[in-house]
Every structure is written in C-alpha cells, then in structure tokens.
Amino acid sequence: MEQTKAGPGCRLSPVRRAAVFLTVACWVASCSGAGQVAPSVPPASGAVALETLPESTTFTSLTGVSIDSVTGTDAGTVVVHPVEELPVYNEYGGRPIARLPAQQVGSPTWLPVLAARGEWVRVLLPSRPNGSTGWLNTAGGKVDRARNSYRVDVDRDGYSLRVVNNGTAEASWKVGIGKEKYPTPVGNFFILASVRETVNKYSPLVLPLSAHSESHETFAGGPGTVAIHTWPTDDHLGKQDSDGCIRVSKDALDRLVKLPLGTLVSVR
C-alpha cells in the first residue's frame, strides 16, 4: 500500500464526489433496508457523550465490534451518510462503542448497509480490525440514504477486478496485488474516499478502502490503509508486487472513480 498524506500515505487532496450520487436514486420511504426485519428490542435511549468515544476512521482500531459475516445479496445495495457525527453501537439497541464523523479522508462518509431493523442499520466501518461492523440509530433524519446497484469483485488468484451492476458484470481488468509477504487482505470492504495525488506520480487519483494491511500495522507514517490506484507502468498487472494495495490500469481507475462512495468491494 503506497502511503498518502491524507491518511493512507501518499500526499493527496480530496476530490469532490457529489456528482457521483446524481446517478444513485434517492432513498424513499417505501424502500426496505437490506435484510430488514421487525424490531424486537427497544431502541437505545438517553444522551451519548460523543467526546468520550473513539472515532471510527481509517486511523483507529476499535474494540467491542462485531466482524462482518453477512453474505446476503442485499448487502451494500443501500448506502448511508451521517449528516452529523453519530454514535456507533455494538448491536441493535446496544451500547455505544465509537463515534462516526460525517467525513473521512476529506470525502463525505458513505457506508454500505449490511442489515436493517426499523430505524437502525448495521454498517461496515472503516476502522481496524478488518470487517468491523456497528449499528447506527437513524431516527430523526440523522442520515442520508441512497440506493447503490454497484459492487466490485476482486479475485486475487485470478489477478482480476470486475465492476458489477445489478448483478451483471459491466467490465473487468487485470490487476496487481500484494506480495506474498504483504498480501492484499481478503474480506468485504468499501470505497472510503477519493483523493487526488499532489506529490507522488504513481497515480493521479487514489481510492482508499476500508481495508487495512494485516502485515503492516503502519506504513510510511500512515495507518496501513489499503487502496486502489494505478502505477507508472503496466508491468505490475497480473503480479504480486505491491505492499497490499490493488494496482489497476488507467482505464480501470477511470471507471472506478465514477462509482459511489460506500460501494462494496469484495476481495477473495
């Protein structure tokens, strides 16, 4: 993973992504959340002292979280954005374990929804450990919601990445992945941010993921965040030669930067 100033490790500035969501249908009241079921426990009540909770960002490691085990086809078809800093709960109606800021690495925070119960949603989080999940209480208009028909599938053995829209593969490319010593992590992640490179020349844009290196606790002064980016030459494609990041061709990156933030990225 090549590091960025904005967090992962290369020196970057945020890219505005508002236009991306013009292609994503707005959430309407008749839409049901992913995996929605009737509430079975009362919602959390009482004020939460947010300042006492650790932030959930790519820079932090959380305790008390559940690890993603959701494989349903609805996972990630809804994405949510907190319009203000919100508490993250360990379970539906449970105790607060973190606070989720409205922005991540200079981009608005959009998270994929794994399940929903009434006004609560279970989301993937950007923090360590990989696959961390938590619950948000969305009552009172605290989040924006949108439908997202896209996901990204990465096959490490096949050195391939494909963009899937409504269950149909739209395009696929050959990619480079992490070295055997520094493997690209496996699991369900999401596109966390879009940042523009301002110093290093290996990629004009970098897409940090919610994934973290399992072999680098930190990297080049950053938190070891795994990202998708290009490289000056294409001889990296089909090889294990990065420190964990997913290296793609220019045309692949041009397509990926048009996907909504919060898009699910499944690495197998």
Side-chain angles (χ1 to χ4, degrees), residues 15 86 125 143 172 231 263:
V15 174
L86 292 180
L125 298 172
V143 303
S172 63
W231 200 244
T263 293

Side-chain angles (χ1 to χ4, degrees), residues 208-252:
L209 303 178
S210 62
H212 299 268
S213 170
E214 301 285 9
S215 50
H216 288 295
E217 187 66 28
T218 62
F219 187 83
T225 303
V226 172
I228 298 175
H229 59 74
T230 58
W231 200 244
T233 64
D234 283 342
D235 58 3
H236 64 280
L237 300 177
K239 296 180 181 179
Q240 294 177 268
D241 61 359
S242 80
D243 279 282
C245 280
I246 300 167
R247 295 177 179 176
V248 299
S249 60
K250 181 182 181 300
D251 60 328

Side-chain angles (χ1 to χ4, degrees), residues 66-69 114 122 124-125 127 129-133 188-189 210:
S66 296
I67 304 303
D68 166 43
S69 59
L114 303 180
R122 184 187 179 206
L124 272 174
L125 298 172
S127 308
N130 282 335
S132 293
T133 71
N188 291 322
F189 311 109
S210 62

Side-chain angles (χ1 to χ4, degrees), residues 53 56 86-90 95-100 125 134-136:
L53 300 172
S56 179
L86 292 180
V88 179
Y89 296 86
N90 66 326
R95 60 181 177 84
I97 56 172
R99 53 192 168 101
L100 183 69
L125 298 172
W135 287 83
L136 304 178

Side-chain angles (χ1 to χ4, degrees), residues 1-264:
M1 92 231 41
E2 286 63 38
Q3 281 305 99
T4 73
K5 178 182 179 183
C10 358
R11 294 196 168 110
L12 312 169
S13 58
V15 174
R16 296 188 181 277
R17 295 295 297 268
V20 171
F21 281 90
L22 294 178
T23 62
V24 181
C26 292
W27 176 269
V28 293
S30 61
C31 293
S32 60
Q36 186 166 357
V37 298
S40 59
V41 299
S45 61
V48 176
L50 289 174
E51 68 277 5
T52 67
L53 300 172
E55 274 195 326
S56 179
T57 71
T58 192
F59 297 93
T60 60
S61 181
L62 301 179
T63 59
V65 295
S66 296
I67 304 303
D68 166 43
S69 59
V70 177
T71 57
T73 57
D74 285 343
T77 58
V78 173
V79 289
V80 294
H81 164 58
V83 297
E84 60 186 49
E85 191 172 54
L86 292 180
V88 179
Y89 296 86
N90 66 326
E91 61 185 22
Y92 173 61
R95 60 181 177 84
I97 56 172
R99 53 192 168 101
L100 183 69
Q103 283 200 330
Q104 302 271 344
V105 199
S107 295
T109 301
W110 283 93
L111 308 175
V113 173
L114 303 180
R117 303 183 74 175
E119 293 180 316
W120 290 69
V121 291
R122 184 187 179 206
V123 295
L124 272 174
L125 298 172
S127 308
R128 290 181 186 267
N130 282 335
S132 293
T133 71
W135 287 83
L136 304 178
N137 184 349
T138 69
K142 297 175 182 176
V143 303
D144 293 329
R145 308 189 191 210
R147 287 287 184 182
N148 184 8
S149 61
Y150 291 97
R151 78 168 192 269
V152 176
D153 292 334
V154 178
D155 177 3
R156 298 191 309 171
D157 290 339
Y159 298 96
S160 68
L161 177 152
R162 65 175 186 168
V163 172
V164 178
N165 184 14
N166 283 318
T168 300
E170 283 193 343
S172 63
W173 299 268
K174 188 70 73 175
V175 300
I177 60 173
K179 303 169 186 173
E180 185 174 349
K181 186 178 180 181
Y182 307 119
T184 300
V186 170
N188 291 322
F189 311 109
F190 62 93
I191 299 175
L192 177 64
S194 178
V195 287
R196 187 178 300 280
E197 175 59 69
T198 59
V199 175
N200 297 317
K201 297 181 179 180
Y202 64 79
S203 187
L205 296 170
V206 174
L207 299 178
L209 303 178
S210 62
H212 299 268
S213 170
E214 301 285 9
S215 50
H216 288 295
E217 187 66 28
T218 62
F219 187 83
T225 303
V226 172
I228 298 175
H229 59 74
T230 58
W231 200 244
T233 64
D234 283 342
D235 58 3
H236 64 280
L237 300 177
K239 296 180 181 179
Q240 294 177 268
D241 61 359
S242 80
D243 279 282
C245 280
I246 300 167
R247 295 177 179 176
V248 299
S249 60
K250 181 182 181 300
D251 60 328
L253 186 65
D254 288 344
R255 179 67 186 93
L256 291 167
V257 298
K258 297 176 182 177
L259 298 180
L261 297 178
T263 293
L264 203 64

